[in-house]
Amino acid sequence: MDLLTALRAHRLLAIVRGSDPDAALKTVLTLVEEGVTLVEVSLSGRDALDVIARARAVLGPDATLGAGTVLTADDARAAHRAGAAFLVTPAVSDGIATGRELGLPVLAGVMTPTDILQALRLGAAALKLFPAGSAGGPGYLRDLRGPFPDLPFVPVGGVDASAAADYLRSGATAVGVGSPLIADAADGGSLAGLRERAREFLDVVGPESRP
């Protein structure tokens, strides 16, 4: 898949991390039903690989379903076997090179200019600015875009609806959103609330992001 094109088109990456595998699966499927096209299932969630495999079986081969918190080469291989179409790392890790060897695009976690150059050398398709809120928010993104004006940044970490709008105005290609969007849905909480929040974020990133 062309991850960068998908990020540019949809501008919202939902991050699902749950303690209840059945609820996490329902969360993924609900997000897709609401029009959230890009969904990442974090490997730090309970039985995450099984959640990815079950979601892939329901959604079919064309769904833009990925695996997050990919730290090692083994993580990348396991995610690939489970059916992930792309990988997301929290840092510059072995998962980047292995993902590329497997033919999977990688959204690589970076914070510093040095991280950015290392991730690009390893073949990252886009750059996950993490943790964006702690790093300085939209102002830090604007500072990075000085020396790196054309690189695709995806801020993640503390991105609520208001921050998402600020990041996009500051030049982010897309935003990655976890708990401000998912809340407790992947732990067994309300799917109705999840649907409302999904619509709110889709409105923020723009009608052009809807399928």
Side-chain angles (χ1 to χ4, degrees):
M1 66 166 289
D2 187 336
L3 178 60
L4 181 54
T5 295
L7 289 167
R8 286 172 171 158
H10 302 293
R11 305 211 297 172
L12 175 64
L13 170 65
I15 303 167
V16 177
R17 178 186 291 105
S19 60
D20 181 332
D22 291 333
L25 175 62
K26 291 177 183 176
T27 297
V28 172
L29 299 180
T30 298
L31 288 166
V32 174
E33 287 172 4
E34 289 299 325
V36 180
T37 300
L38 286 159
V39 181
E40 162 198 337
V41 177
S42 171
L43 296 187
S44 61
R46 183 180 169 194
D47 295 337
L49 292 170
D50 186 57
V51 173
I52 293 169
R54 292 164 67 194
R56 175 61 67 199
V58 173
L59 297 172
D62 297 329
T64 46
L65 175 68
T69 322
V70 174
L71 297 173
T72 67
D74 286 344
D75 286 342
R77 294 186 190 102
H80 181 247
R81 289 193 298 270
F86 63 93
L87 306 178
V88 184
T89 74
V92 179
S93 74
D94 292 342
I96 302 172
T98 302
R100 299 304 301 130
E101 290 170 5
L102 294 168
L104 298 178
V106 181
L107 173 59
V110 300
M111 179 180 276
T112 68
T114 299
D115 292 342
I116 291 167
L117 293 177
Q118 289 177 336
L120 292 173
R121 290 189 189 108
L122 289 170
L127 302 163
K128 168 184 168 179
L129 184 59
F130 175 79
S134 300
Y140 185 56
L141 172 62
R142 288 191 293 271
D143 288 344
L144 286 177
R145 282 175 53 77
F148 305 111
D150 301 319
L151 295 185
F153 288 103
V154 181
V156 177
V159 181
D160 59 15
S162 175
D166 288 342
Y167 281 118
L168 293 169
R169 283 193 295 266
S170 298
T173 297
V175 291
V177 185
S179 57
L181 169 58
I182 307 304
D184 63 352
D187 302 317
S190 169
L191 292 179
L194 175 66
R195 291 183 186 278
E196 292 178 2
R197 292 187 297 275
R199 293 166 191 162
E200 178 185 11
F201 273 95
L202 286 169
D203 285 342
V204 168
V205 300
E208 66 272 20
S209 70
R210 294 180 182 272

